[in-house]
Amino acid sequence: MSDSARSGAPWEEFGRGLRSWRRRSGLTQRQLGLIVGYHHSQISRLEAGLREPPPGLVHRLDAVLGAGGELASLAAASHGPGGGAPHEPRRIPLDQGLFTTPPGDEADDARAVWDGLPWPAALPAEGLVCPLHDNAGCTTPDRAAAPELLARLTAAAPGHDELTAMEPEVLHALTGFLACVIRGALHLSALDGTAATERLLRGVVRWADSVHTTGRTPYGQLRIAAQYAQVAGRLRMRRGQSAVGMAWFGHGLRWADAVHDLPARATLLSDICALVRLDDDPGPTLGYAEAIGAVDTRRRWIATLSHLYQARGYALRRDGVECRRHISSARRAFARLGRDDGLEAPWLTGAEGEMRVESAIGGALRDLAAATGDRATARRAVEAVARSRAQLSPLMRDTHLLLTLRLADGWACAGDPEAAVALASPVLDEAAGTDELLVRAELDGLHARLGRDWGAVSQVVDYQDQLVDLGVRGAGRGLPEFASRAQRLRTR
């Protein structure tokens, strides 16, 4: 008879195993709870052997802690006879629900997306590593051969056995294509690769399903699926479609968790946090921001992201002390980024990394100034956003719009509406015509602040006239709502 059976706690052995794997991973009970979506008190009860873990949670814990199926084996053994063999293969069981995707239109030609854009000769590219070999320096298929490889995924009756026979080449082609989308659609705003990205993503998920039915974990397929889901969600945000974007982020998170891809989990949580923050609710913002940090307490780039998002959450809560503390922590973590951080998150290193960090710090300080009316904080926000904007490539148009509007809003919070209008007026037409969620949020905040606090200033009156004129000329382009808002502000 086992010790756990004699003690009357059938889950005691599972609890000891869970505690051991959690400590090996360097996580507290609270951090593990944040990752898997359970309160830390429930994690404590599991480790004490006081409750039976739900099967879905067992598999999730196996994946998150890298236990390789050991926790599932312990749980099966705890059931006793008929409960499952304790020495089953160490393949992580996957929920069949992993292989579903949101519905959508798949009519698109992927080749049109990369026409005119540089095809990466090797991986990593645009921050994407090989889903099979990480940073090993894999070569991608020849540009001319890639379309045929990708077409196999989206065929009406794809030959998944044939796909699996050439698995590395197909996964390399998928990664190369996604690098083109990131460069062309997200960085340069030169194209919209939404339909092509989602079409290929659905093909990858069908392929993963077929691999899973053979008894093999579709590791590479789910890793690249998580990356595609993140890009698909960001592209939907550019269209102003927050619900669809959140759905893709959620799917990506499940795929990343299934194969224990910590970097993908951290960046997906960052995107979710950015969407949640648009609701101006500090509670969920801080919850997701803390969850980012709990993904891996040893990776400094993850700590940097977590502190930046926590700073913005505390700004919404009007907690200046905590906001500034997390800003200082983010800067310290960023200054200590090393080679390994650069391999996993190259977009958070060098000039681009400084641009992202100072942009987030400027956003947090601006939010804090807007909430508290502290003009000294607003001036510090202006300084941070100006530093970020100075690092920006002129080709990153959406980011340029966002930072220009954020800088203008910083000046409005600092008591200089003339400077705010001088910055915003030249880009008003372009900004008012975009569907990009983050840009629209900055524009809405600036309009509200100018109308509420500075509506009698002559430059602001002229700015509102410009806005009304844009609404008249932009009929059918989504601008009348801006014009009506400006008209309301003028009559207050």
Side-chain angles (χ1 to χ4, degrees):
M1 182 179 294
S2 69
D3 292 341
S4 60
R6 284 195 299 270
S7 69
W11 299 103
E12 192 172 14
E13 189 174 354
F14 172 84
R16 283 197 295 269
L18 173 59
R19 183 183 297 110
S20 174
W21 278 102
R22 174 180 62 77
R23 288 175 174 172
R24 267 189 250 182
S25 298
L27 298 174
T28 65
Q29 290 179 343
R30 182 172 182 272
Q31 289 167 338
L32 179 58
L34 283 169
I35 294 173
V36 298
Y38 277 68
H39 193 268
H40 64 82
S41 63
Q42 294 170 303
I43 301 297
S44 175
R45 288 176 62 81
L46 286 173
E47 291 188 355
L50 298 178
R51 61 163 294 180
E52 176 181 353
L57 175 61
V58 172
H59 301 324
R60 190 170 172 82
L61 289 167
D62 255 328
V64 167
L65 298 175
E70 182 175 314
L71 294 177
S73 296
L74 288 172
S78 297
H79 275 291
H87 301 297
E88 293 173 348
R90 294 170 68 86
R91 181 173 68 89
I92 299 174
L94 300 178
D95 180 1
Q96 192 62 34
L98 280 174
F99 307 110
T100 60
T101 59
D105 181 14
E106 295 197 1
D108 196 30
D109 182 2
R111 285 172 294 186
V113 173
W114 69 55
D115 283 349
L117 293 172
W119 176 258
L123 304 175
E126 298 296 334
L128 299 172
V129 300
C130 171
L132 290 178
H133 311 112
D134 291 314
N135 292 297
C138 300
T139 58
T140 60
D142 182 79
R143 181 191 186 101
E148 182 179 350
L149 286 170
L150 298 181
R152 298 175 190 271
L153 277 172
T154 55
H160 290 125
D161 290 342
E162 186 179 359
L163 282 171
T164 302
M166 54 179 64
E167 182 175 45
E169 292 88 348
V170 177
L171 289 173
H172 292 162
L174 282 163
T175 311
F177 170 79
L178 195 60
C180 283
V181 173
I182 292 172
R183 170 56 53 184
L186 294 181
H187 286 183
L188 306 183
S189 307
L191 52 85
D192 185 353
T194 305
T197 299
E198 293 182 0
R199 185 182 187 203
L200 287 171
L201 174 51
R202 292 188 178 92
V204 171
V205 175
R206 289 193 295 267
W207 183 20
D209 191 8
S210 71
V211 170
H212 181 245
T213 60
T214 68
R216 184 166 65 93
T217 298
Y219 180 78
Q221 290 81 1
L222 291 181
R223 282 193 77 187
I224 194 65
Q227 298 286 358
Y228 265 73
Q230 183 165 26
V231 172
R234 290 178 179 177
L235 290 171
R236 288 292 180 174
M237 286 177 65
R238 280 189 59 196
R239 292 182 168 194
Q241 298 168 328
S242 58
V244 182
M246 184 66 87
W248 278 126
F249 293 148
H251 279 277
L253 203 55
R254 294 176 64 204
W255 295 326
D257 286 349
V259 290
H260 197 49
D261 189 338
L262 297 185
R265 176 174 178 79
T267 53
L268 281 158
L269 283 172
S270 299
D271 284 327
I272 293 172
C273 194
L275 262 180
V276 168
R277 186 182 52 77
L278 296 181
D279 293 330
D280 291 331
D281 189 340
T285 300
L286 286 170
Y288 280 109
E290 291 173 358
I292 295 168
V295 170
D296 189 338
T297 57
R298 295 162 294 186
R299 283 173 160 95
R300 292 192 183 103
W301 71 268
I302 291 179
T304 302
L305 288 181
S306 178
H307 287 304
L308 289 173
Y309 280 103
Q310 287 189 70
R312 299 210 69 171
Y314 280 111
L316 293 178
R317 190 175 276 181
R318 302 186 179 195
D319 188 335
V321 172
E322 282 300 300
C323 175
R324 294 185 182 93
R325 183 175 73 82
H326 282 287
I327 287 174
S328 297
S329 296
R331 283 189 164 135
R332 283 196 301 271
F334 176 67
R336 296 173 62 202
L337 295 184
R339 178 179 177 275
D340 289 344
D341 298 296
L343 289 174
E344 289 188 344
W347 39 269
L348 199 56
T349 59
E352 183 178 359
E354 185 176 352
M355 180 270 291
R356 293 179 184 276
V357 169
E358 292 301 320
S359 169
I361 289 172
L365 292 172
R366 186 279 315 274
D367 293 345
L368 182 62
T372 63
D374 184 346
R375 293 187 177 181
T377 297
R379 287 191 291 272
R380 287 194 289 273
V382 166
E383 293 169 0
V385 178
R387 284 193 296 270
S388 175
R389 195 164 170 257
Q391 299 282 357
L392 187 65
S393 164
L395 297 175
M396 299 175 70
R397 194 60 196 167
D398 282 346
T399 308
H400 179 268
L401 286 175
L402 184 145
L403 292 182
T404 299
L405 294 171
R406 184 171 295 171
L407 187 58
D409 199 20
W411 280 117
C413 291
D416 193 340
E418 294 88 352
V421 168
L423 276 165
S425 291
V427 302
L428 184 57
D429 193 353
E430 186 178 2
T434 186
D435 291 322
E436 164 63 57
L437 285 170
L438 299 181
V439 174
R440 293 289 288 264
E442 293 289 344
L443 193 57
D444 283 348
L446 175 62
H447 289 166
R449 200 138 15 251
L450 287 174
R452 184 187 66 239
D453 299 338
W454 309 104
V457 176
S458 60
Q459 290 91 336
V460 175
V461 173
D462 292 341
Y463 173 85
Q464 292 171 342
D465 286 340
Q466 181 186 0
L467 198 60
V468 171
D469 185 51
L470 282 176
V472 173
R473 292 190 286 108
R477 198 168 56 117
L479 296 185
E481 62 179 284
F482 287 94
S484 62
R485 184 184 300 114
Q487 192 66 52
R488 292 196 301 272
L489 292 174
R490 290 175 62 193
T491 56
R492 287 180 182 176

